[in-house]
């Protein structure tokens, strides 16, 4: 690859703003085109961020100067759009989830490998300095050997603020597939692949109401469980429990804790690229009927803070340096497999084996990774 690497974006929805803001600031890449089924929306985003070209998805795929396609379409067409990009000879970075079914998603990965092309998959928050600083502390042994983990995401639901929330309550979304990837990608990055899962799901409302935007007051059908309780057993022996809900009056985001043989560490919100990390050691022995103090110890955050698009940048640098990138298609597929296995567990009321795995541990991001340094 030669810098700057040409990037084309397909999908000009809400999430495209943060991608465009960041990708247009990295010297190793240049955004050449924005495509969307609504070409006027693509034009508006291109003009807002100084991108020279806009049009349809096919026009983005046909641009010979574009080497990487960023797939920001709705989950239902992720595999279709990513497959078209691979067929056009482009590397792919895709929003999560990587796909909605195992067969089509696995074929996408095989097609990319056969073509010698890379696939990267959101979330890339695990590349942020918040999570990476916490991961280094765990690898350094501040809590000993990890034993179990807890994760929680609770909200009233995106229908409260999103002007078009229907897709977030359709197959391929809900709190598990929409928010679960952040937490599960973080846990797999820390603890390795998952062996089996069990889950419970609930759908207390068959319909939800839109509370913002031009369709405010409109009702729509809910297709998936809006509260999910998850148990996961990892191949390495650790365990985790997670709660993901769009039904909670109490807003609680970003709960991610790892409990080890020599302490407990509280990580930043896995939906963010930065945040505080603290850990605590076990209580001391009893002394005169009282325990020693148990102070919290802060982990220093190291690294440059940016946002979405960091995973794509790591991928293009990894291609140039002939090394693995962090947020791979393999990782995205394993997280998808975990979530689909959880959905099957809900249906079957039994533990479900997760058939996929990872060939190698998820890499650690170097401390000196600088998105704003020209490296290619």
């Amino acid at each position: 690859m030669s810098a700057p690497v040409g990037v084309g974006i397909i999908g000009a929805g809400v999430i495209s703003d943060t991608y465009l803001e960041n990708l247009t600031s990295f010297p190793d890449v240049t955004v050449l085109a924005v495509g969307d089924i609504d070409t006027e929306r693509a034009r508006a985003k291109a003009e807002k961020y100084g991108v020279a070209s806009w049009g349809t998805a096919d026009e983005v795929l046909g641009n010979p100067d574009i080497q990487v396609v960023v797939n920001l379409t709705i989950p239902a067409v992720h595999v279709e759009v990513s497959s078209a990009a691979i067929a056009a000879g482009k590397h792919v970075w895709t929003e999560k989830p990587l796909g909605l079914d195992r067969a089509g998603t696995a074929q996408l990965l095989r097609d990319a490998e056969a073509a010698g092309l890379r696939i990267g998959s959101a979330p890339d928050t695990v590349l942020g300095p918040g999570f990476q600083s916490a991961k280094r502390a765990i690898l350094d042994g501040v809590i000993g050997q990890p034993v179990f983990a807890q994760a929680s995401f609770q909200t009233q639901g995106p229908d409260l603020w999103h002007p078009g929330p229907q897709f977030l309550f359709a197959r391929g979304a809900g709190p598990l597939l929409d928010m679960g990837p952040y937490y599960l990608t973080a846990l797999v990055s820390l603890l390795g692949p998952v062996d089996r899962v069990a889950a419970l799901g609930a759908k207390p409302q068959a319909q939800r109401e839109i509370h913002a935007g031009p369709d405010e007051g409109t009702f729509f059908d809910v297709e998936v469980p809006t509260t999910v309780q998850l148990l996961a057993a990892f191949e390495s022996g650790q365990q985790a429990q997670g709660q993901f809900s769009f039904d909670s009056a109490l807003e609680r985001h970003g709960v991610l804790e790892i409990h080890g043989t020599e302490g407990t560490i509280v990580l930043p919100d896995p939906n963010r690229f930065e945040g505080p990390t603290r850990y605590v050691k076990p209580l001391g022995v009893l002394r005169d009927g009282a325990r020693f103090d148990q102070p919290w110890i802060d982990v220093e955050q190291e690294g440059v803070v940016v946002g979405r698009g960091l995973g794509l940048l790591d991928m293009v640098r990894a291609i140039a340096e002939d090394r693995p990138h962090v947020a791979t298609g393999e990782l995205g597929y394993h997280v998808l497999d975990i979530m689909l296995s959880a959905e099957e567990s809900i249906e079957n009321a039994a533990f479900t084996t997760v058939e996929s795995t990872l060939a190698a541990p998820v890499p650690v991001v170097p401390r000196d990774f600088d998105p704003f340094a020209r490296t290619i």
Side-chain angles (χ1 to χ4, degrees), residues 129-138 140 142-143 264-268 275-280 296-302 367:
F131 178 82
Q132 286 295 317
S133 298
K135 182 174 180 175
R136 293 188 197 102
I138 293 171
D140 288 342
V142 297
I143 62 166
T264 289
I265 191 166
V266 179
L267 285 81
T277 296
R278 303 190 303 164
Y279 66 94
V280 66
W296 285 96
I297 303 166
D298 292 326
V299 173
E300 180 183 359
Q301 179 175 286
E302 298 179 276
R367 284 182 170 86

PDB file of all heavy atoms in Angstrom, residues 129-138 140 142-143 264-268 275-280 296-302 367:
ATOM      1  N   PRO A 129      -6.744   4.007  24.027  1.00  0.00           N
ATOM      2  CA  PRO A 129      -5.794   3.979  25.142  1.00  0.00           C
ATOM      3  C   PRO A 129      -6.425   3.603  26.476  1.00  0.00           C
ATOM      4  O   PRO A 129      -5.729   3.092  27.358  1.00  0.00           O
ATOM      5  CB  PRO A 129      -5.244   5.406  25.167  1.00  0.00           C
ATOM      6  CG  PRO A 129      -6.245   6.234  24.445  1.00  0.00           C
ATOM      7  CD  PRO A 129      -6.846   5.342  23.416  1.00  0.00           C
ATOM      8  N   GLY A 130      -7.726   3.841  26.640  1.00  0.00           N
ATOM      9  CA  GLY A 130      -8.374   3.431  27.884  1.00  0.00           C
ATOM     10  C   GLY A 130      -8.330   1.929  28.074  1.00  0.00           C
ATOM     11  O   GLY A 130      -7.811   1.416  29.073  1.00  0.00           O
ATOM     12  N   PHE A 131      -8.857   1.193  27.087  1.00  0.00           N
ATOM     13  CA  PHE A 131      -8.879  -0.266  27.181  1.00  0.00           C
ATOM     14  C   PHE A 131      -7.471  -0.845  27.128  1.00  0.00           C
ATOM     15  O   PHE A 131      -7.135  -1.762  27.883  1.00  0.00           O
ATOM     16  CB  PHE A 131      -9.729  -0.857  26.062  1.00  0.00           C
ATOM     17  CG  PHE A 131      -9.758  -2.359  26.062  1.00  0.00           C
ATOM     18  CD1 PHE A 131     -10.612  -3.055  26.897  1.00  0.00           C
ATOM     19  CD2 PHE A 131      -8.905  -3.092  25.252  1.00  0.00           C
ATOM     20  CE1 PHE A 131     -10.631  -4.435  26.923  1.00  0.00           C
ATOM     21  CE2 PHE A 131      -8.909  -4.471  25.257  1.00  0.00           C
ATOM     22  CZ  PHE A 131      -9.773  -5.146  26.095  1.00  0.00           C
ATOM     23  N   GLN A 132      -6.630  -0.331  26.240  1.00  0.00           N
ATOM     24  CA  GLN A 132      -5.287  -0.892  26.082  1.00  0.00           C
ATOM     25  C   GLN A 132      -4.447  -0.705  27.352  1.00  0.00           C
ATOM     26  O   GLN A 132      -3.661  -1.591  27.712  1.00  0.00           O
ATOM     27  CB  GLN A 132      -4.593  -0.270  24.881  1.00  0.00           C
ATOM     28  CG  GLN A 132      -5.118  -0.756  23.542  1.00  0.00           C
ATOM     29  CD  GLN A 132      -4.854  -2.233  23.310  1.00  0.00           C
ATOM     30  OE1 GLN A 132      -3.764  -2.729  23.598  1.00  0.00           O
ATOM     31  NE2 GLN A 132      -5.843  -2.944  22.772  1.00  0.00           N
ATOM     32  N   SER A 133      -4.593   0.414  28.040  1.00  0.00           N
ATOM     33  CA  SER A 133      -3.869   0.616  29.296  1.00  0.00           C
ATOM     34  C   SER A 133      -4.323  -0.387  30.336  1.00  0.00           C
ATOM     35  O   SER A 133      -3.509  -0.938  31.098  1.00  0.00           O
ATOM     36  CB  SER A 133      -4.066   2.050  29.793  1.00  0.00           C
ATOM     37  OG  SER A 133      -3.548   2.995  28.869  1.00  0.00           O
ATOM     38  N   ALA A 134      -5.630  -0.651  30.377  1.00  0.00           N
ATOM     39  CA  ALA A 134      -6.152  -1.651  31.310  1.00  0.00           C
ATOM     40  C   ALA A 134      -5.667  -3.047  30.940  1.00  0.00           C
ATOM     41  O   ALA A 134      -5.298  -3.845  31.822  1.00  0.00           O
ATOM     42  CB  ALA A 134      -7.677  -1.604  31.306  1.00  0.00           C
ATOM     43  N   LYS A 135      -5.633  -3.351  29.647  1.00  0.00           N
ATOM     44  CA  LYS A 135      -5.183  -4.671  29.208  1.00  0.00           C
ATOM     45  C   LYS A 135      -3.723  -4.897  29.574  1.00  0.00           C
ATOM     46  O   LYS A 135      -3.350  -5.983  30.049  1.00  0.00           O
ATOM     47  CB  LYS A 135      -5.384  -4.815  27.699  1.00  0.00           C
ATOM     48  CG  LYS A 135      -4.978  -6.180  27.147  1.00  0.00           C
ATOM     49  CD  LYS A 135      -5.342  -6.322  25.676  1.00  0.00           C
ATOM     50  CE  LYS A 135      -4.935  -7.694  25.140  1.00  0.00           C
ATOM     51  NZ  LYS A 135      -5.377  -7.901  23.743  1.00  0.00           N
ATOM     52  N   ARG A 136      -2.883  -3.889  29.388  1.00  0.00           N
ATOM     53  CA  ARG A 136      -1.472  -4.030  29.758  1.00  0.00           C
ATOM     54  C   ARG A 136      -1.326  -4.269  31.267  1.00  0.00           C
ATOM     55  O   ARG A 136      -0.479  -5.059  31.690  1.00  0.00           O
ATOM     56  CB  ARG A 136      -0.694  -2.788  29.338  1.00  0.00           C
ATOM     57  CG  ARG A 136      -0.586  -2.595  27.835  1.00  0.00           C
ATOM     58  CD  ARG A 136       0.365  -1.450  27.496  1.00  0.00           C
ATOM     59  NE  ARG A 136       0.157  -1.010  26.126  1.00  0.00           N
ATOM     60  CZ  ARG A 136      -0.520   0.085  25.789  1.00  0.00           C
ATOM     61  NH1 ARG A 136      -1.020   0.866  26.724  1.00  0.00           N
ATOM     62  NH2 ARG A 136      -0.669   0.401  24.522  1.00  0.00           N
ATOM     63  N   ALA A 137      -2.145  -3.576  32.060  1.00  0.00           N
ATOM     64  CA  ALA A 137      -2.076  -3.767  33.512  1.00  0.00           C
ATOM     65  C   ALA A 137      -2.446  -5.200  33.889  1.00  0.00           C
ATOM     66  O   ALA A 137      -1.803  -5.814  34.758  1.00  0.00           O
ATOM     67  CB  ALA A 137      -3.002  -2.776  34.219  1.00  0.00           C
ATOM     68  N   ILE A 138      -3.462  -5.762  33.224  1.00  0.00           N
ATOM     69  CA  ILE A 138      -3.856  -7.147  33.497  1.00  0.00           C
ATOM     70  C   ILE A 138      -2.743  -8.104  33.080  1.00  0.00           C
ATOM     71  O   ILE A 138      -2.399  -9.033  33.822  1.00  0.00           O
ATOM     72  CB  ILE A 138      -5.180  -7.474  32.781  1.00  0.00           C
ATOM     73  CG1 ILE A 138      -6.330  -6.657  33.385  1.00  0.00           C
ATOM     74  CG2 ILE A 138      -5.493  -8.968  32.866  1.00  0.00           C
ATOM     75  CD1 ILE A 138      -7.619  -6.739  32.608  1.00  0.00           C
ATOM     76  N   ASP A 140       0.312  -7.441  32.999  1.00  0.00           N
ATOM     77  CA  ASP A 140       1.414  -7.247  33.949  1.00  0.00           C
ATOM     78  C   ASP A 140       1.146  -7.915  35.295  1.00  0.00           C
ATOM     79  O   ASP A 140       2.028  -7.936  36.163  1.00  0.00           O
ATOM     80  CB  ASP A 140       1.679  -5.756  34.165  1.00  0.00           C
ATOM     81  CG  ASP A 140       2.342  -5.103  32.954  1.00  0.00           C
ATOM     82  OD1 ASP A 140       2.886  -5.837  32.114  1.00  0.00           O
ATOM     83  OD2 ASP A 140       2.299  -3.866  32.849  1.00  0.00           O
ATOM     84  N   VAL A 142      -1.508  -7.247  37.656  1.00  0.00           N
ATOM     85  CA  VAL A 142      -1.961  -6.467  38.811  1.00  0.00           C
ATOM     86  C   VAL A 142      -3.115  -7.134  39.561  1.00  0.00           C
ATOM     87  O   VAL A 142      -3.336  -6.850  40.741  1.00  0.00           O
ATOM     88  CB  VAL A 142      -2.347  -5.035  38.405  1.00  0.00           C
ATOM     89  CG1 VAL A 142      -1.160  -4.277  37.848  1.00  0.00           C
ATOM     90  CG2 VAL A 142      -3.518  -5.017  37.438  1.00  0.00           C
ATOM     91  N   ILE A 143      -3.858  -8.018  38.889  1.00  0.00           N
ATOM     92  CA  ILE A 143      -4.929  -8.753  39.589  1.00  0.00           C
ATOM     93  C   ILE A 143      -4.647 -10.258  39.614  1.00  0.00           C
ATOM     94  O   ILE A 143      -5.545 -11.055  39.891  1.00  0.00           O
ATOM     95  CB  ILE A 143      -6.320  -8.478  38.967  1.00  0.00           C
ATOM     96  CG1 ILE A 143      -6.371  -8.944  37.504  1.00  0.00           C
ATOM     97  CG2 ILE A 143      -6.706  -7.023  39.095  1.00  0.00           C
ATOM     98  CD1 ILE A 143      -7.789  -9.010  36.936  1.00  0.00           C
ATOM     99  N   THR A 264      -9.205  -7.031  41.824  1.00  0.00           N
ATOM    100  CA  THR A 264     -10.291  -6.747  40.888  1.00  0.00           C
ATOM    101  C   THR A 264      -9.967  -5.454  40.158  1.00  0.00           C
ATOM    102  O   THR A 264      -9.541  -4.474  40.780  1.00  0.00           O
ATOM    103  CB  THR A 264     -11.626  -6.596  41.629  1.00  0.00           C
ATOM    104  OG1 THR A 264     -12.041  -7.871  42.114  1.00  0.00           O
ATOM    105  CG2 THR A 264     -12.715  -6.040  40.719  1.00  0.00           C
ATOM    106  N   ILE A 265     -10.196  -5.442  38.842  1.00  0.00           N
ATOM    107  CA  ILE A 265      -9.939  -4.246  38.046  1.00  0.00           C
ATOM    108  C   ILE A 265     -11.234  -3.808  37.372  1.00  0.00           C
ATOM    109  O   ILE A 265     -12.007  -4.634  36.881  1.00  0.00           O
ATOM    110  CB  ILE A 265      -8.819  -4.498  37.012  1.00  0.00           C
ATOM    111  CG1 ILE A 265      -8.363  -3.197  36.355  1.00  0.00           C
ATOM    112  CG2 ILE A 265      -9.248  -5.518  35.964  1.00  0.00           C
ATOM    113  CD1 ILE A 265      -7.051  -3.324  35.577  1.00  0.00           C
ATOM    114  N   VAL A 266     -11.499  -2.515  37.402  1.00  0.00           N
ATOM    115  CA  VAL A 266     -12.669  -1.913  36.763  1.00  0.00           C
ATOM    116  C   VAL A 266     -12.191  -1.168  35.518  1.00  0.00           C
ATOM    117  O   VAL A 266     -11.403  -0.228  35.623  1.00  0.00           O
ATOM    118  CB  VAL A 266     -13.398  -0.956  37.718  1.00  0.00           C
ATOM    119  CG1 VAL A 266     -14.593  -0.313  37.016  1.00  0.00           C
ATOM    120  CG2 VAL A 266     -13.854  -1.700  38.969  1.00  0.00           C
ATOM    121  N   LEU A 267     -12.654  -1.600  34.358  1.00  0.00           N
ATOM    122  CA  LEU A 267     -12.198  -1.051  33.089  1.00  0.00           C
ATOM    123  C   LEU A 267     -13.085   0.097  32.624  1.00  0.00           C
ATOM    124  O   LEU A 267     -14.216   0.244  33.105  1.00  0.00           O
ATOM    125  CB  LEU A 267     -12.172  -2.141  32.013  1.00  0.00           C
ATOM    126  CG  LEU A 267     -11.038  -3.164  32.094  1.00  0.00           C
ATOM    127  CD1 LEU A 267     -11.335  -4.241  33.116  1.00  0.00           C
ATOM    128  CD2 LEU A 267     -10.763  -3.778  30.738  1.00  0.00           C
ATOM    129  N   PRO A 268     -12.606   0.899  31.670  1.00  0.00           N
ATOM    130  CA  PRO A 268     -13.453   1.958  31.104  1.00  0.00           C
ATOM    131  C   PRO A 268     -14.633   1.380  30.337  1.00  0.00           C
ATOM    132  O   PRO A 268     -14.659   0.192  29.991  1.00  0.00           O
ATOM    133  CB  PRO A 268     -12.498   2.703  30.157  1.00  0.00           C
ATOM    134  CG  PRO A 268     -11.124   2.284  30.532  1.00  0.00           C
ATOM    135  CD  PRO A 268     -11.248   0.908  31.102  1.00  0.00           C
ATOM    136  N   GLY A 275     -10.954   6.447  29.253  1.00  0.00           N
ATOM    137  CA  GLY A 275     -11.669   6.405  30.522  1.00  0.00           C
ATOM    138  C   GLY A 275     -10.783   5.859  31.619  1.00  0.00           C
ATOM    139  O   GLY A 275      -9.741   5.245  31.352  1.00  0.00           O
ATOM    140  N   PRO A 276     -11.188   6.071  32.849  1.00  0.00           N
ATOM    141  CA  PRO A 276     -10.354   5.654  33.981  1.00  0.00           C
ATOM    142  C   PRO A 276     -10.383   4.150  34.203  1.00  0.00           C
ATOM    143  O   PRO A 276     -11.390   3.482  33.956  1.00  0.00           O
ATOM    144  CB  PRO A 276     -10.987   6.392  35.165  1.00  0.00           C
ATOM    145  CG  PRO A 276     -12.424   6.577  34.766  1.00  0.00           C
ATOM    146  CD  PRO A 276     -12.408   6.773  33.278  1.00  0.00           C
ATOM    147  N   THR A 277      -9.263   3.623  34.656  1.00  0.00           N
ATOM    148  CA  THR A 277      -9.140   2.224  35.077  1.00  0.00           C
ATOM    149  C   THR A 277      -8.593   2.211  36.492  1.00  0.00           C
ATOM    150  O   THR A 277      -7.616   2.915  36.795  1.00  0.00           O
ATOM    151  CB  THR A 277      -8.183   1.449  34.153  1.00  0.00           C
ATOM    152  OG1 THR A 277      -8.732   1.392  32.839  1.00  0.00           O
ATOM    153  CG2 THR A 277      -7.975   0.029  34.659  1.00  0.00           C
ATOM    154  N   ARG A 278      -9.227   1.433  37.348  1.00  0.00           N
ATOM    155  CA  ARG A 278      -8.763   1.320  38.736  1.00  0.00           C
ATOM    156  C   ARG A 278      -8.802  -0.143  39.145  1.00  0.00           C
ATOM    157  O   ARG A 278      -9.635  -0.912  38.660  1.00  0.00           O
ATOM    158  CB  ARG A 278      -9.645   2.123  39.689  1.00  0.00           C
ATOM    159  CG  ARG A 278      -9.755   3.603  39.362  1.00  0.00           C
ATOM    160  CD  ARG A 278     -10.450   4.372  40.481  1.00  0.00           C
ATOM    161  NE  ARG A 278     -11.777   3.831  40.758  1.00  0.00           N
ATOM    162  CZ  ARG A 278     -12.477   4.100  41.865  1.00  0.00           C
ATOM    163  NH1 ARG A 278     -11.952   4.872  42.799  1.00  0.00           N
ATOM    164  NH2 ARG A 278     -13.680   3.593  42.037  1.00  0.00           N
ATOM    165  N   TYR A 279      -7.915  -0.505  40.056  1.00  0.00           N
ATOM    166  CA  TYR A 279      -7.971  -1.861  40.595  1.00  0.00           C
ATOM    167  C   TYR A 279      -7.774  -1.823  42.103  1.00  0.00           C
ATOM    168  O   TYR A 279      -7.289  -0.828  42.670  1.00  0.00           O
ATOM    169  CB  TYR A 279      -6.937  -2.775  39.930  1.00  0.00           C
ATOM    170  CG  TYR A 279      -5.487  -2.442  40.183  1.00  0.00           C
ATOM    171  CD1 TYR A 279      -4.785  -3.053  41.224  1.00  0.00           C
ATOM    172  CD2 TYR A 279      -4.804  -1.543  39.358  1.00  0.00           C
ATOM    173  CE1 TYR A 279      -3.434  -2.770  41.439  1.00  0.00           C
ATOM    174  CE2 TYR A 279      -3.468  -1.262  39.568  1.00  0.00           C
ATOM    175  CZ  TYR A 279      -2.795  -1.883  40.606  1.00  0.00           C
ATOM    176  OH  TYR A 279      -1.464  -1.600  40.826  1.00  0.00           O
ATOM    177  N   VAL A 280      -8.192  -2.901  42.725  1.00  0.00           N
ATOM    178  CA  VAL A 280      -8.121  -3.009  44.173  1.00  0.00           C
ATOM    179  C   VAL A 280      -7.567  -4.377  44.532  1.00  0.00           C
ATOM    180  O   VAL A 280      -7.845  -5.374  43.854  1.00  0.00           O
ATOM    181  CB  VAL A 280      -9.513  -2.781  44.805  1.00  0.00           C
ATOM    182  CG1 VAL A 280     -10.492  -3.896  44.435  1.00  0.00           C
ATOM    183  CG2 VAL A 280      -9.421  -2.635  46.311  1.00  0.00           C
ATOM    184  N   TRP A 296      -8.194   2.076  46.299  1.00  0.00           N
ATOM    185  CA  TRP A 296      -8.198   1.899  44.857  1.00  0.00           C
ATOM    186  C   TRP A 296      -6.903   2.443  44.274  1.00  0.00           C
ATOM    187  O   TRP A 296      -6.412   3.491  44.699  1.00  0.00           O
ATOM    188  CB  TRP A 296      -9.390   2.612  44.229  1.00  0.00           C
ATOM    189  CG  TRP A 296     -10.683   1.902  44.456  1.00  0.00           C
ATOM    190  CD1 TRP A 296     -11.594   2.158  45.430  1.00  0.00           C
ATOM    191  CD2 TRP A 296     -11.205   0.818  43.689  1.00  0.00           C
ATOM    192  NE1 TRP A 296     -12.656   1.297  45.330  1.00  0.00           N
ATOM    193  CE2 TRP A 296     -12.439   0.460  44.262  1.00  0.00           C
ATOM    194  CE3 TRP A 296     -10.748   0.111  42.578  1.00  0.00           C
ATOM    195  CZ2 TRP A 296     -13.229  -0.562  43.761  1.00  0.00           C
ATOM    196  CZ3 TRP A 296     -11.533  -0.913  42.080  1.00  0.00           C
ATOM    197  CH2 TRP A 296     -12.749  -1.249  42.663  1.00  0.00           C
ATOM    198  N   ILE A 297      -6.364   1.739  43.303  1.00  0.00           N
ATOM    199  CA  ILE A 297      -5.111   2.125  42.648  1.00  0.00           C
ATOM    200  C   ILE A 297      -5.430   2.462  41.195  1.00  0.00           C
ATOM    201  O   ILE A 297      -6.030   1.659  40.469  1.00  0.00           O
ATOM    202  CB  ILE A 297      -4.079   0.981  42.714  1.00  0.00           C
ATOM    203  CG1 ILE A 297      -3.835   0.574  44.177  1.00  0.00           C
ATOM    204  CG2 ILE A 297      -2.776   1.393  42.039  1.00  0.00           C
ATOM    205  CD1 ILE A 297      -3.099  -0.737  44.324  1.00  0.00           C
ATOM    206  N   ASP A 298      -5.056   3.662  40.762  1.00  0.00           N
ATOM    207  CA  ASP A 298      -5.334   4.105  39.397  1.00  0.00           C
ATOM    208  C   ASP A 298      -4.290   3.579  38.418  1.00  0.00           C
ATOM    209  O   ASP A 298      -3.099   3.522  38.739  1.00  0.00           O
ATOM    210  CB  ASP A 298      -5.346   5.633  39.324  1.00  0.00           C
ATOM    211  CG  ASP A 298      -6.518   6.242  40.085  1.00  0.00           C
ATOM    212  OD1 ASP A 298      -7.591   5.617  40.102  1.00  0.00           O
ATOM    213  OD2 ASP A 298      -6.343   7.337  40.664  1.00  0.00           O
ATOM    214  N   VAL A 299      -4.756   3.211  37.220  1.00  0.00           N
ATOM    215  CA  VAL A 299      -3.867   2.830  36.124  1.00  0.00           C
ATOM    216  C   VAL A 299      -3.721   4.025  35.204  1.00  0.00           C
ATOM    217  O   VAL A 299      -4.718   4.588  34.736  1.00  0.00           O
ATOM    218  CB  VAL A 299      -4.428   1.621  35.352  1.00  0.00           C
ATOM    219  CG1 VAL A 299      -3.590   1.336  34.116  1.00  0.00           C
ATOM    220  CG2 VAL A 299      -4.494   0.392  36.250  1.00  0.00           C
ATOM    221  N   GLU A 300      -2.500   4.429  34.927  1.00  0.00           N
ATOM    222  CA  GLU A 300      -2.270   5.562  34.044  1.00  0.00           C
ATOM    223  C   GLU A 300      -2.675   5.208  32.615  1.00  0.00           C
ATOM    224  O   GLU A 300      -2.312   4.161  32.092  1.00  0.00           O
ATOM    225  CB  GLU A 300      -0.793   5.966  34.059  1.00  0.00           C
ATOM    226  CG  GLU A 300      -0.476   7.156  33.164  1.00  0.00           C
ATOM    227  CD  GLU A 300       1.000   7.491  33.133  1.00  0.00           C
ATOM    228  OE1 GLU A 300       1.785   6.803  33.832  1.00  0.00           O
ATOM    229  OE2 GLU A 300       1.374   8.422  32.397  1.00  0.00           O
ATOM    230  N   GLN A 301      -3.451   6.099  32.001  1.00  0.00           N
ATOM    231  CA  GLN A 301      -3.835   5.902  30.604  1.00  0.00           C
ATOM    232  C   GLN A 301      -2.715   6.395  29.698  1.00  0.00           C
ATOM    233  O   GLN A 301      -2.284   7.532  29.803  1.00  0.00           O
ATOM    234  CB  GLN A 301      -5.129   6.658  30.301  1.00  0.00           C
ATOM    235  CG  GLN A 301      -5.598   6.528  28.854  1.00  0.00           C
ATOM    236  CD  GLN A 301      -6.939   7.173  28.621  1.00  0.00           C
ATOM    237  OE1 GLN A 301      -7.969   6.653  29.023  1.00  0.00           O
ATOM    238  NE2 GLN A 301      -6.938   8.316  27.962  1.00  0.00           N
ATOM    239  N   GLU A 302      -2.263   5.522  28.803  1.00  0.00           N
ATOM    240  CA  GLU A 302      -1.185   5.858  27.879  1.00  0.00           C
ATOM    241  C   GLU A 302      -1.687   5.724  26.445  1.00  0.00           C
ATOM    242  O   GLU A 302      -2.292   4.716  26.090  1.00  0.00           O
ATOM    243  CB  GLU A 302       0.010   4.928  28.085  1.00  0.00           C
ATOM    244  CG  GLU A 302       0.648   5.016  29.459  1.00  0.00           C
ATOM    245  CD  GLU A 302       1.804   4.048  29.593  1.00  0.00           C
ATOM    246  OE1 GLU A 302       1.539   2.871  29.911  1.00  0.00           O
ATOM    247  OE2 GLU A 302       2.953   4.454  29.359  1.00  0.00           O
ATOM    248  N   ARG A 367       2.426   1.126  22.848  1.00  0.00           N
ATOM    249  CA  ARG A 367       2.208   2.363  23.593  1.00  0.00           C
ATOM    250  C   ARG A 367       2.406   3.605  22.721  1.00  0.00           C
ATOM    251  O   ARG A 367       1.768   4.639  22.939  1.00  0.00           O
ATOM    252  CB  ARG A 367       3.164   2.434  24.792  1.00  0.00           C
ATOM    253  CG  ARG A 367       2.770   1.556  25.966  1.00  0.00           C
ATOM    254  CD  ARG A 367       3.758   1.744  27.102  1.00  0.00           C
ATOM    255  NE  ARG A 367       3.310   1.111  28.319  1.00  0.00           N
ATOM    256  CZ  ARG A 367       3.513  -0.168  28.637  1.00  0.00           C
ATOM    257  NH1 ARG A 367       4.179  -0.942  27.787  1.00  0.00           N
ATOM    258  NH2 ARG A 367       3.058  -0.668  29.770  1.00  0.00           N
TER     259      ARG A 367
END
